[in-house]
Each structure stands twice: as C-alpha cells, then as structure tokens.
Amino acid sequence: MLLSEIKSRPTYGSLSPSPLATRHIVAIEGAGIKAFEAAFAGKAALLGRTTVVFTPSPDMPPDTLGRLEALGVDALHVSPSVETLLVRLAGLLATATMGTELSVTGSENFIGQAVAVGMAHGIGHRSIATEHSGSLARRVQCVHCKGFTGGVTESPVACGHCGLMLLVRDHYSRRLGAFMGVCIDAEAPGDIPAPEAFHA
Amino acid sequence: MSGGEDFRVRVVEAENVTPTIRRLRMLRCDGGALPPYAAGAHTVLTLETGGPKLRNAYSLLGSTLSGGAYEIAVLRTEASRGGSAFIHAAVGVGTELTLSTPVNLFPVHHLARRHVLVAGGIGITPIAAMAAELSAMNAPFELHYAVRDEALGAFAGDLALRHGAKLRLYVSRRQERLAVREILQHQPLGTHLYVCGPERMIEAVLGDARAAGWPEDSLHAERFLAPAGGEPFAVRLARSGLMATVGEHQSLLEAIEAAGVDAPYLCRGGACGQCETTVVAADGSLRHHDHFLSDAEKAAGDKIMICVSRLEGRELVLDL
Amino acid sequence: MTIPFRTETFRGDFTFSNSPAAIRRFPFPFDRDAYMYSVNIEQHVPGRVQTTTEFPIDIDEHYVAEMEDRALVLKADPLRCQSLPHMITAEWDLLELLMTSMARHYPDHFTLTCDGDRWHWVNRPLGIDQEFTFGEAATLPLPPMEYVTRQCQGDFCLLDQRDDNLWMDAGIVTTQADWSLDFDLGMNFIEWHGPVPLAHDLGVFDRALKFLMNLQQGRPVRRLNWTMTINPRLDTSPENYHLWGVDKASVTPENVGDKVHLRVELQALWRLPRSNAIVFSIRCYLIKMDELVTQKKWARRFHRVLRDLPPEIAGYKGLSRFRETTIDWLARHDDGAETSPGFGPD
C-alpha cells in the first residue's frame, strides 16, 4: 500500500485538434477553457465544425461563458453540472460518425468521467485528447462498499457512504474513473495517521 | 521457440478455383481434430519441394469455429520462390504436408461497434474468414472486394450468396473502382477498418482513412511480405558458431533453419516481431523490409527481422 | 487415480491442512536462498509425476473444500465474477480448456462426452451431471466461465488482446492476494500491474507484455509467485480487508507455526483458439510454517529469503507486521547448512 509513482493513472497531454477531423466535440469543465482557447482560438475553420459542451466550475476565470461565446463555435451547450453535461455528451456521440474527434479538458475527476462516456461509444481511449486543468482532487471508490467519494484532496479520507477511513491508493481505474480507497486501519483498528494532501 | 505444435495433414480436396488460385482442404493424418481458430489466423505450411525446405504462411479460409478441416487458397505468383508454384504443380489430393498451430496477428477488434472489411485480390482470404465470423456473431459489417476481373474473384460468387447486400464487388476490368472515401464518410463512431491486399492498395486505403480523420486505433491491415531476394551473403551465428550462406531467393531465417538452428518466428512476414535478432556485426548495409521496427531502430542497425530482411554486403554476424 | 478429498474450511475455524503427500508436492517457489522479482516464465509443459505441474490443470485433495469456499464468496459478493460482453467467446474457450483437461487427466472424477456441439459433463466429486450445447449459453445454468470455474480450483482471468496490449476484461477471482477484479476489470497489462514496486523500473512488464502478445496456441507458459497469509484464508480480498486485516496483528512467537502460511500462486497463461484471448490462471497453494519445516531444506531457505527480502517488497506483499516474528521462529530451523540447488525438498 504505497504512495508512489502511479502507473495506472492516465497521462494528460495538451489539446491539439487534428485538422483532418470532420467534426470536433469538446467537453470543457470550467477552468479548462484556457486549454481550449490555447488550442482552438483563431482557427475559424476548425471552430466552424466544433461542438462544445461546457459546465462551470468554481475555479474558472471570470466571464468564461462570454469568452466561450465569443470564440464562434458551431454549437455551444451549457450544462449546469457534470452529470447533465455527460448526458448531453452521450447524446452527441450516439449519432456521431467516424472522423469525429473528442477532446476533454477540466479536472481529473471530470476527464475520467467524460473519457468513460467516449469509450462507451466506441472511441479508443488513446484517440481521446485530454488536457488537465484546475483541481487535482481525486474521485475515490471505496473497495469495501463500492461507493464513490468525489473532491478528495488528502489521504486518508472517510468514505462518504460506509464511513470507513480509506487510504487512497495510487491505483486508478479508467473504467470507474476513480482511485482505489482501502481501509487504513484494518490491521490496527483506530490507528489512523493524520491526513496528508496529494502532491500530484 | 519457433512455431507451436505441428500437425501432419493430408490434402482431401484440391481445386483450381481460377487459373491462378488453388484451394486446398486438409485434414489431420492421424484422424484427430485440428484446433479451432479465429478469423484472421494463419498457418505456416512446410513444403518439401525437393530443394530447400520452404515454410510459407497462409491465411486460413472461412471461420471454422468448431475446428475440423483447414482450407487455404494459394495464388501462383510470378515472383514465386518456389512455394506457390510447388503447390500449384505438385500438391493434390492425398499429398501429405506439415502445418503449424494457427497464429492470429490480424484478429477482429472485439470492441468495434461496426466493421468495414476491404480486400484486394488474394487478400480476400483472411477478410472472408472475418466476414463469416462476424456474420455468425450477428455483428454489423460490410465487405468491399476489389478484383481485376470476375474470373479472378474466386470467392465472389460464394461471398455474394453468404452475405448478399453486405458485399460490394469492384471489378477493375469493368472500370469499377473502390471509392474508399465514400465508404468511410458516414460510418458511425466505433467503426473499425480492416484491409488486406497488395501493399499499394493497403497504403492507399489507410491513407484515405487517415485523411478522413480516422484514428490509428481503428485501422488494421495485414501485409504478408514474401522475403525479398537479393545478392547472396554470408551469415555467422556467434553463439552456435555456425556459418551459412543466404542464397539469392532464400531468407535469412530459411538459411539459418537449413543450418540446423531453431530460430524463433511466428509470421514469417515481417509483422510480428518474434524473430527480432541482435546484430553483432555487419560487413555491409542492412536492408530492412519489415513493418515492426521503428525507423529509428532500423537506422540504429543493431536489430534485424530475419524473416524478411537481409544484408547487402559480405557477412552478417548474429547473436544466435 | 482417485484423490481422497478432505473436509476442511478456509474461514471460521480454519481446519485446512495438508496431508504429508500434499506437503511433498507443494510448489515451493525458491530455487536459491534469496528472492528478487523477475519474469521467471517457463513453458507450461508436464512436470514430474506427483507434482503440481504433472497436468496442465491441477486438481488436489483440497478441491471440494475450495469449491465450497468459492461458492460462499460468490454468494456474499457476486462482483468477484465479472465478464464484459465481448468476452463470451473466450468464456467458451475457457470452458473447453478446463473440461477437456480435467476429464483427460482425472477420469475417475470427471467425464466429458462430445457429440459435435452436444456436450455431456459429469463431475462426480461435486455431484454434477449436465448436458448442454457448446456455444449456447442458455443451455447452461450459469454463464460458461462462471459455470466451469465454480468447478475448477484457481482463479481465472480472461485477457482480450487489442491495441498492442492485453486487457483484463473478464474473470473469476475469489482467492486473490490483495487485488480486486472489480477494480482492475477493463485495465490493460501495464495498468493492473501499476501497484507492483520496482519491476516497472526494471522494464519487467514491458518485456513480459511483448512476450505474451506473441503467446501461441498449444504453448502455454507458467510462473510462480508468492506471498504470505495469516490463517489458511483463501479469500484475502481487498473487499474484505477491513474484516481480515486484523489477523496480521495476531501473530505471536507461540502461534507462528500454525498461523503463518506461505501462499504460492502457480500462474499459467494459455492462448485461446476461438477468441484469440489469453487465459491467466492463478492457482493458490497454502502451507503453514509447521508443515513447511518438515522439509529441512525449505525451512533453511525460506528463513534466509524472508530475512534478506528488500523492505519495499515486504511492504508490497503486506508482510511487515509479522515478518520479524516469523524470521525469529524460522531461525530455530536454520542450522546454517548449505541448501541444495533446485526447488524440491531433499
């Protein structure tokens, strides 16, 4: 049960839209707008065949929505939450054709869930462009009760469902979009170290 | 290391389906069942031509998911090193041959939501097996088959019967051209493309798919390269201390096998990487013909795929 | 050959133990007095008579009790057996592999009769007589992988090969050494080995992956892996770690011999014919220290291996809490004499 380099954790690159893609679908969470602007701004032809699904986050720059609207994308869908954005994304992918490129930017938690929707629609995970921005908070699955706890910034953390104190293992499942949480005091009940924040 | 279990088989049907394509059906001599295999698999046939022993890879036809007989189809090529000419001239009902356990380097992608199959000429052999397997699985697919003339479309009639409107035939003598871009235009997300045929056709199809924004992960091709010939050269095996000469029409692998060394291989066509061998020294320049090593690895010159690549020069020393 | 099956438990009162014959055939995993992680893969060819590798699928005196324990695990947690939809062909491949091997090598206990796709399977130890149609899942009471692996010792994972990698897309895992099928399902080879220390830096997994991608039908391979378990508990899952973890603190100098077990996994990999998938089998063998030290060579050698184990490996294997106590106990069985080469007892 080590906190070491994480081989199962995805690596995030930077968005670089293919000029060959016939359609771009971009899923953005709040602060991810900066990555989107850096990769797409000024490319009118590209933006003309780009659909954006967007949901705000507390750490996004002021006037994010105004900036998005000003970029001139073909279609912009604003969703009030990650959950509603994912429903919208699934709807778009259900009728998309080959040649469509999916790009995702936002927190790791958000990327994990949006990539899972893309894969469920037949896109290979290596073909989905991702760029991380904003929070490093982790989504954690309790291996005991299987409940998910979001926005986790330190370990150990209490499971939001069964209440066990969980060591957040550096082991990530793309299918679940979550890190693994394992009871930290199983061998010595009550012996719970002070929480430490994740460095990366 | 090399090959899996071998089976002695007897040819039970031999038929020239066209003047240049010969179909063989084979059963085990001892009456046992040949192992089942998945579409895209090939077997390596050992041919005792009287001259040097040849081992050629052939795609298995049809999809015999329940095991039983194996079928292959062999095109007689102008540039034959003796294998296909031997099969056409000397192999008939009753001939006994040795073949290897199937190896699959061109499997159907199990997460694809739809499959576009493209074949040119004799490249139909693995593609026809895929069509049969996908059909049996009720998986959505379409099959595009380009031939020079209908007589050469050895399997066109049978495929049309089995797959109906899912088959599109393109006969170049009738000025019908495979229009890849149109085929690819409206395919739903999650579609995978498979192509087998002449090298130039494969490159053209893959090029069109990339130009249409298809990601690499969705593209699959099988190239069976015949080992390229060339000037003879000497090979020295550093570990076993053996020397051999690689003849004009012989591959390095064949020369090494003839010298009595059991070198590893799977595809014998430059695709799988199993025969990757360390070069100890090379008096001359390496001629890489494989699709496995990266350009950087080829340039570095310390690895060679002995099934298809060779030396242009005097002597090659290998870590074998 | 008729195997006398034992009545025993792997939980609660922990009545599991090995007969003298089972001790002699135990797959002791150390052929020298030190341990370092390595690929150590060899061809899975028949080993000597009366060893665990005599047959491709090993059935032993613990068969019936292990199958009863598996049924209890699955009743409590059905997520221990999962299969993604594209793995159904691989499930049938696995059923064929296990049934044909068990019937061929243990004809007293298992019989398989095939008439085309009409199959008839008889499992005498478990009292099962089943006719079914190969390839038609509705003719079996359970999906093919679950059906056959509820009748075969060992955990089984089915790996799909695509995109230059292997993917753990199906499996039944009820005797795992602290890894979770439910969590690792859908991961690729590099990802599910993520938590293993050191080996990534050595390039071990990249080489192993390249090797396995070219694994051939009819040429299975195997390797041994090991860890240690307190009490003869098969189900040392992370899912239940909050329930069994406390066992690790229960080791005292007085109870080492009975409580501390060496746990050896005989892992084998086969290429499957119809699906082109790979089956990864993990067969678990347990031996308590009291039983282990009946073989002098093993007692000496295991003492030295455990004593000199790099701390990160001891930590990864979860041995830290009882390692010193066990080393002290084993030291009494190590007279310092040289050990002979090879795995087997003297």
Side-chain angles (χ1 to χ4, degrees):
Chain A
M1 307 197 184
L2 301 169
L3 291 169
S4 68
E5 239 192 320
I6 312 173
K7 299 290 177 189
S8 55
R9 188 180 204 172
T11 50
Y12 308 106
S14 47
L15 302 188
S16 63
S18 165
L20 300 174
T22 50
R23 185 91 210 154
H24 289 275
I25 295 177
V26 188
I28 306 172
E29 182 193 39
I33 182 171
K34 283 177 278 184
F36 177 63
E37 283 175 329
F40 284 74
K43 297 173 181 163
L46 215 65
L47 289 163
R49 49 181 203 272
T50 296
T51 300
V52 168
V53 285
F54 173 80
T55 191
S57 69
D59 59 350
M60 66 188 187
D63 193 30
T64 294
L65 203 53
R67 277 160 61 178
L68 261 183
E69 280 165 352
L71 277 170
V73 295
D74 181 47
L76 170 65
H77 305 278
V78 180
S79 300
S81 63
V82 171
E83 286 71 19
T84 52
L85 179 149
L86 295 175
V87 172
R88 179 78 61 182
L89 178 62
L92 288 168
L93 294 176
T95 54
T97 54
M98 289 300 285
T100 302
E101 184 172 271
L102 174 62
S103 305
V104 182
T105 174
S107 67
E108 182 166 54
N109 189 348
F110 173 75
I111 293 173
Q113 294 178 76
V115 167
V117 171
M119 290 174 68
H121 286 83
I123 316 179
H125 76 88
R126 294 192 296 193
S127 306
I128 302 172
T130 56
E131 182 166 341
H132 180 263
S133 59
S135 170
L136 278 165
R138 297 180 182 183
R139 186 166 181 253
V140 176
Q141 190 197 31
C142 173
V143 75
H144 312 291
C145 78
K146 308 294 181 186
F148 293 94
T149 304
V152 176
T153 56
E154 56 186 27
S155 174
V157 63
C159 173
H161 302 263
C162 69
L164 283 175
M165 284 304 284
L166 302 177
L167 172 89
V168 181
R169 264 191 191 174
D170 281 346
H171 193 35
Y172 180 86
S173 161
R174 196 182 293 109
R175 182 179 69 96
L176 301 167
F179 287 83
M180 187 183 202
V182 184
C183 178
I184 196 164
D185 60 337
E187 297 179 22
D191 184 3
I192 295 166
E196 277 185 56
F198 304 126
H199 300 297
Chain B
M1 285 294 282
S2 52
E5 200 184 339
D6 279 343
F7 298 99
R8 277 304 273 181
V9 294
R10 182 179 296 113
V11 175
V12 294
E13 288 174 28
E15 164 197 28
N16 280 10
V17 279
T18 76
T20 55
I21 296 177
R22 187 162 176 79
R23 181 183 65 88
L24 303 180
R25 184 177 173 85
M26 297 162 285
L27 283 170
R28 264 173 75 167
C29 292
D30 64 6
L34 287 161
Y37 61 87
H42 71 261
T43 184
V44 173
L45 218 57
T46 303
L47 301 168
E48 281 131 40
T49 60
K53 209 185 254 185
L54 283 175
R55 286 203 179 101
N56 286 358
Y58 296 100
S59 290
L60 287 161
L61 267 173
S63 177
T64 60
L65 291 181
S66 55
Y70 285 0
E71 289 194 12
I72 59 170
V74 180
L75 175 71
R76 192 178 64 221
T77 53
E78 296 305 325
S80 171
R81 302 175 316 122
S84 71
F86 174 77
I87 287 174
H88 275 259
V91 174
V93 172
T95 307
E96 288 194 7
L97 298 164
T98 300
L99 55 74
S100 74
T101 304
V103 171
N104 200 336
L105 302 172
F106 190 40
V108 165
H109 195 286
H110 292 129
L111 286 186
R113 310 179 113 210
R114 181 177 173 80
H115 309 262
V116 174
L117 312 178
V118 181
I122 195 67
I124 190 64
T125 53
I127 294 289
M130 285 180 172
E133 186 168 307
L134 294 168
S135 181
M137 289 159 58
N138 274 323
F141 77 95
E142 58 190 65
L143 170 54
H144 301 270
Y145 181 22
V147 293
R148 216 175 311 157
D149 56 43
E150 281 188 274
L152 287 173
F155 307 96
D158 183 44
L159 289 170
L161 274 177
R162 280 163 164 253
H163 305 303
K166 289 195 171 83
L167 171 73
R168 272 287 307 270
L169 190 66
Y170 308 82
V171 183
S172 59
R173 188 154 291 173
R174 296 201 307 241
Q175 310 301 319
E176 294 165 351
R177 290 279 175 271
L178 178 68
V180 182
R181 282 169 210 212
E182 281 168 34
I183 296 166
L184 300 183
Q185 208 172 9
H186 301 298
Q187 297 293 344
L189 210 53
T191 304
H192 282 241
L193 173 72
Y194 309 79
V195 54
C196 186
E199 180 74 13
R200 275 175 57 199
M201 176 202 183
I202 291 176
E203 289 312 322
V205 170
L206 295 181
D208 282 349
R210 291 184 186 113
W214 286 49
E216 252 355 274
D217 283 358
S218 63
L219 307 178
H220 313 279
E222 178 148 84
R223 303 172 170 87
F224 271 121
L225 301 176
E231 292 295 310
F233 61 96
V235 58
R236 184 153 62 83
L237 308 180
R239 269 189 278 153
S240 45
L242 290 169
M243 288 286 295
T245 301
V246 183
E248 201 179 343
H249 300 295
Q250 199 178 22
S251 71
L252 249 173
L253 176 58
E254 286 162 350
I256 289 166
E257 287 170 342
V261 173
D262 186 21
Y265 70 83
L266 279 183
C267 74
R268 303 180 82 90
C272 73
Q274 184 80 347
C275 72
E276 180 182 297
T277 304
T278 298
V279 174
V280 178
D283 180 5
S285 51
L286 300 178
R287 289 286 175 256
H288 293 287
H289 298 294
D290 63 277
H291 287 276
F292 185 80
L293 293 175
S294 66
D295 288 344
E297 287 171 316
K298 286 178 182 172
D302 53 359
K303 294 263 190 291
I304 189 168
M305 296 298 154
I306 56 175
C307 64
V308 290
S309 301
R310 56 195 295 130
L311 182 81
E312 191 174 292
R314 195 184 63 81
E315 187 190 68
L316 181 65
V317 186
L318 296 176
D319 182 28
L320 272 176
Chain C
M1 177 184 53
T2 304
I3 303 166
F5 298 112
R6 300 171 79 86
T7 303
E8 59 193 358
T9 58
F10 300 89
R11 57 182 68 210
D13 54 0
F14 294 112
T15 59
F16 166 90
S17 68
N18 287 295
S19 69
I23 293 172
R24 275 194 305 280
R25 76 195 291 277
F26 188 81
F28 187 72
F30 308 105
D31 64 346
R32 63 199 68 191
D33 291 358
Y35 169 78
M36 183 57 206
Y37 191 91
S38 68
V39 178
N40 66 307
I41 294 177
E42 61 179 343
Q43 296 293 329
H44 189 32
V45 291
R48 282 180 297 114
V49 174
Q50 299 282 307
T51 66
T52 52
T53 55
E54 181 181 0
F55 303 122
I57 299 294
D58 182 43
I59 301 296
D60 67 16
E61 64 186 22
H62 308 297
Y63 173 72
V64 173
E66 283 191 27
M67 294 302 98
E68 286 168 357
D69 195 71
R70 164 160 292 165
L72 292 173
V73 172
L74 290 171
K75 184 168 278 187
D77 183 1
L79 292 175
R80 304 296 185 83
C81 178
Q82 295 189 57
S83 180
L84 298 177
H86 61 278
M87 299 306 284
I88 185 66
T89 306
E91 290 194 31
W92 285 109
D93 276 333
L94 176 65
L95 177 138
E96 177 188 57
L97 174 73
L98 299 186
M99 284 189 178
T100 52
S101 180
M102 290 163 75
R104 181 175 310 139
H105 300 298
Y106 303 95
D108 288 356
H109 301 302
F110 311 101
T111 306
L112 178 67
T113 320
C114 303
D115 175 14
D117 290 341
R118 306 279 308 157
W119 288 31
H120 182 196
W121 169 247
V122 180
N123 178 335
R124 280 174 283 276
L126 298 185
I128 292 168
D129 186 315
Q130 178 76 47
E131 293 183 12
F132 62 100
T133 306
F134 188 86
E136 281 186 31
T139 61
L140 282 175
L142 291 166
M145 176 184 71
E146 180 172 351
Y147 180 77
V148 72
T149 55
R150 277 176 177 265
Q151 301 178 49
C152 188
Q153 284 172 281
D155 287 343
F156 294 88
C157 299
L158 296 174
L159 317 180
D160 192 30
Q161 182 160 334
R162 59 174 195 274
D163 303 338
D164 305 319
N165 218 316
L166 296 170
W167 302 82
M168 189 173 301
D169 287 346
I172 181 162
V173 178
T174 63
T175 66
Q176 69 262 58
D178 207 15
W179 68 278
S180 166
L181 174 76
D182 183 46
F183 194 78
D184 287 1
L185 191 74
M187 285 190 191
N188 69 38
F189 188 81
I190 301 299
E191 290 168 347
W192 85 69
H193 285 108
V196 183
L198 302 183
H200 284 277
D201 298 332
L202 299 172
V204 167
F205 294 123
D206 295 327
R207 283 199 302 277
L209 174 61
K210 193 172 170 184
F211 175 82
L212 292 176
M213 298 269 292
N214 278 341
L215 185 69
Q216 293 167 72
Q217 239 186 90
R219 303 272 288 207
V221 296
R222 65 171 174 246
R223 66 181 288 260
L224 290 175
N225 196 12
W226 69 278
T227 185
M228 294 171 75
T229 303
I230 304 311
N231 296 326
R233 186 188 295 279
L234 282 177
D235 178 23
T236 51
S237 60
E239 275 82 355
N240 286 340
Y241 175 56
H242 59 307
L243 304 176
W244 61 263
V246 71
D247 291 2
K248 293 194 187 190
S250 68
V251 177
T252 65
E254 293 71 39
N255 66 19
V256 166
D258 186 50
K259 258 195 185 294
V260 177
H261 289 70
L262 174 61
R263 180 189 189 98
V264 173
E265 292 175 355
L266 176 62
Q267 304 177 347
L269 296 119
W270 283 263
R271 172 72 65 191
L272 294 173
R274 299 167 186 80
S275 57
N276 203 42
I278 286 177
V279 53
F280 174 40
S281 69
I282 309 142
R283 173 77 154 81
C284 169
Y285 296 87
L286 291 168
I287 189 169
K288 62 183 67 189
M289 290 300 107
D290 277 340
E291 292 168 349
L292 185 94
V293 299
T294 61
Q295 310 301 317
K296 295 293 172 222
K297 170 182 168 182
W298 290 353
R300 295 182 187 111
R301 179 166 288 166
F302 189 52
H303 168 244
R304 297 166 200 180
V305 167
L306 200 57
R307 183 189 63 199
D308 301 336
L309 200 64
E312 58 273 33
I313 291 180
Y316 166 69
K317 291 182 183 289
L319 318 180
S320 306
R321 214 172 276 275
F322 52 86
R323 181 177 167 206
E324 286 307 321
T325 312
T326 307
I327 291 170
D328 291 345
W329 188 88
L330 283 169
R332 301 207 303 266
H333 298 272
D334 184 355
D335 54 12
E338 293 229 351
T339 53
S340 61
F343 298 94
D346 286 324

